[in-house]
Amino acid sequence: EFRRVLFRSVRPHNHFFCTCCKRVLDINMDMQNVTELNEIAAKDFDGIIDFCTMTFYGKCGNCIKKS
């Protein structure tokens, strides 16, 4: 199934994927923690890490209300 994705934010950010309804939601969080994760990953990597994103998985609030 094709779904049109609208890009609300072009800066690095994180997502939540609802395993029930399959929606993808943006998660607002302090990106400083992600920057620290990049630095840890870069210690044993011979390339350059510009940024990373994370996807959290679970059930969204709408699906919880329906169950």
Side-chain angles (χ1 to χ4, degrees), residues 2-6:
F2 175 79
R3 291 185 182 198
R4 184 174 176 189
V5 177
L6 298 176

Side-chain angles (χ1 to χ4, degrees), residues 9-32:
S9 175
V10 294
R11 61 181 169 69
H13 62 284
N14 302 292
H15 294 108
F16 174 86
F17 178 82
C18 179
T19 55
C20 186
C21 70
K22 313 301 186 220
R23 288 191 322 157
V24 176
L25 306 168
D26 288 343
I27 292 186
N28 296 318
M29 59 184 282
D30 181 5
M31 293 302 287
Q32 180 60 39

Side-chain angles (χ1 to χ4, degrees), residues 1 8 19 23 28 30 37 44-45 57 61-64:
E1 173 183 328
R8 294 184 187 133
T19 55
R23 288 191 322 157
N28 296 318
D30 181 5
L37 182 61
D44 295 321
F45 180 67
Y57 296 85
N62 287 340
C63 289
I64 290 170

Side-chain angles (χ1 to χ4, degrees), residues 33-47:
N33 295 328
V34 176
T35 300
E36 292 171 11
L37 182 61
N38 290 345
E39 292 169 0
I40 293 167
K43 287 181 182 178
D44 295 321
F45 180 67
D46 65 352

